[in-house]
Amino acid sequence: MPRATSERFSRAHEPSAKSSASKDKGESSSGGRNPIFKTERFGQHILKNPLVAQGIVDKANLRPTDKVLEVGPGTGNLTIRILEKSKHVTAVEMDPRMAAELTKRVQGKPEQRKLDIIIGDFVKADLPYFDVCISNTPYQISSPLVFRLLSHRPLFRVAILMFQREFALRLVARPSTALWSRLSANVQLYAKVDHVMNVGKNNFRPAPLVESSVVRIVPRDPPPPVKFEEFDGLNRILFSRRNKTVHGSFMAKGVIDMLEKNWRTWCAERDEIIDGDVNMKAKVERVLDDTGNSENRAAKMDVDDLLRLLSAFHDVGIHFA
């Protein structure tokens, strides 16, 4: 694979100039910054506490027959422990220098035959079969990593993933709580998510600016027969303002026009005659009234509520993707 570069990430994930400057001024090579690898380039923070590393591996309940996918292995503090308990590990690492360091750690040892390293962007990499995924996740790919894993087939058994704490808490959030969001609903449609441990910032080198948490993700098997694009399309509308009424969200500018365009496409694909004077606003309001959702709010709707609403829209030919 070509040498990975940070330009692949969006500006939304880049550290602010202010925080970068404060890092440069306030952290010495013996303190926060890594003197060998510019880990901040890829949003990486090396886990240095062996007890935490062992705790993460233990949460995976690895079997001797397991093939493990590790994302962001860094210098291998987790990898070495995973190799001890599994059959094989495929590690995906953005930084070629990190990959070289990991290779040195296993060179000439029995573990060398059990390790493959892919150098490149995890989101674009061709992934092998794996039973378990373990990751000290680079900040930039938290959301893409989760959805890449959930779309992977065949399904894995479990993933033990470390994220920034706020992101992790959004993954496990429940309806009617402050962090319940489109992300929460989309992930929980396809998986059971549990918070398993907190990890303080001082357990990393360099220390991040935020605390971290580890979550366990277990895919629902079989997965629900729902197109992700449809479910996410509905949630885009509802969670644009999560405390607004569902009726108010659908009456937002451009929503009705978009739904009418989708409906006409759906009718054309089925060779159905289209009424030129269709009142899409009335069709939407009828669905909301019939399902009792007009005055409901996304902040209080659980996954089942969202699925019932999506099904009701599909029954009248209204689609979201």
Side-chain angles (χ1 to χ4, degrees):
M1 283 191 175
R3 181 183 176 88
T5 63
S6 59
E7 282 75 12
R8 291 180 179 177
F9 302 126
S10 68
R11 289 181 59 85
H13 296 295
E14 294 175 0
S16 67
K18 182 178 180 181
S19 63
S20 296
S22 64
K23 275 187 179 181
D24 290 340
K25 292 178 181 178
E27 294 178 355
S28 67
S29 61
S30 61
R33 291 175 63 88
N34 190 309
I36 303 175
F37 305 108
K38 293 184 178 180
T39 51
E40 62 271 22
R41 181 186 179 202
F42 298 113
Q44 289 172 299
H45 298 273
I46 305 301
L47 182 63
K48 65 180 183 180
N49 188 328
L51 294 178
V52 174
Q54 190 60 53
I56 291 172
V57 174
D58 290 344
K59 296 293 183 183
N61 293 319
L62 293 175
R63 304 167 185 172
T65 56
D66 279 339
K67 294 185 177 181
V68 179
L69 175 70
E70 186 186 7
V71 184
T75 56
N77 293 341
L78 277 172
T79 316
I80 298 302
R81 289 169 172 79
I82 299 170
L83 286 167
E84 292 173 355
K85 295 194 172 186
S86 62
K87 180 179 181 179
H88 186 271
V89 175
T90 299
V92 184
E93 174 56 56
M94 282 286 287
D95 191 336
R97 295 165 303 169
M98 293 270 194
E101 184 70 15
L102 176 54
T103 300
K104 288 180 185 177
R105 291 188 70 168
V106 299
Q107 200 161 23
K109 300 178 182 178
E111 290 83 0
Q112 183 176 359
R113 298 191 302 272
K114 299 168 62 176
L115 176 65
D116 286 332
I117 302 175
I118 298 174
I119 303 174
D121 188 342
F122 167 80
V123 178
K124 300 177 181 179
D126 293 327
L127 302 180
Y129 170 87
F130 60 95
D131 302 290
V132 177
C133 179
I134 298 176
S135 174
N136 174 15
T137 311
Y139 291 167
Q140 292 94 332
I141 64 167
S142 295
S143 185
L145 178 139
V146 170
F147 290 107
R148 177 78 195 275
L149 290 178
L150 292 178
S151 65
H152 183 74
R153 298 295 181 272
L155 290 172
F156 55 93
R157 185 174 76 249
V158 65
I160 305 296
L161 311 173
M162 181 150 56
F163 299 110
Q164 290 188 34
R165 186 163 300 166
E166 183 181 352
F167 183 87
L169 293 179
R170 287 170 61 203
L171 291 179
V172 302
R174 304 303 301 162
S176 299
T177 62
L179 292 177
W180 177 247
S181 63
R182 174 181 156 212
L183 173 68
S184 314
N186 284 349
V187 172
Q188 292 177 32
L189 172 66
Y190 291 101
K192 183 177 183 295
V193 190
D194 298 302
H195 184 281
V196 296
M197 62 189 292
N198 289 325
V199 183
K201 62 180 72 174
N202 292 329
N203 292 291
F204 300 91
R205 186 185 71 252
L209 299 177
V210 296
E211 304 290 349
S212 300
S213 289
V214 179
V215 301
R216 178 191 296 110
I217 295 181
V218 179
R220 301 191 188 280
D221 190 9
V226 180
K227 287 186 177 180
F228 173 77
E229 294 79 8
E230 286 289 320
F231 190 72
D232 182 53
L234 171 64
N235 288 338
R236 281 178 183 271
I237 296 171
L238 295 179
F239 285 97
S240 59
R241 292 188 179 179
R242 62 191 292 274
N243 289 310
K244 196 174 184 178
T245 65
V246 172
H247 180 273
S249 295
F250 274 93
M251 295 304 116
K253 183 178 179 180
V255 173
I256 295 298
D257 290 342
M258 181 269 291
L259 295 179
E260 181 173 344
K261 180 180 178 181
N262 289 353
W263 177 77
R264 290 182 179 277
T265 300
W266 179 79
C267 290
E269 290 173 349
R270 295 165 61 92
D271 294 325
E272 292 190 6
I273 298 175
I274 298 176
D275 183 356
D277 297 324
V278 63
N279 188 337
M280 183 56 60
K281 180 174 180 287
K283 286 173 72 73
V284 169
E285 289 178 329
R286 191 176 308 116
V287 170
L288 297 181
D289 290 339
D290 290 348
T291 59
N293 279 301
S294 288
E295 298 304 313
N296 209 345
R297 300 170 196 276
K300 297 183 177 180
M301 297 175 72
D302 63 21
V303 170
D304 289 337
D305 294 331
L306 296 168
L307 284 174
R308 281 191 288 268
L309 181 57
L310 180 64
S311 178
F313 277 118
H314 284 179
D315 287 344
V316 296
I318 296 178
H319 292 262
F320 297 88

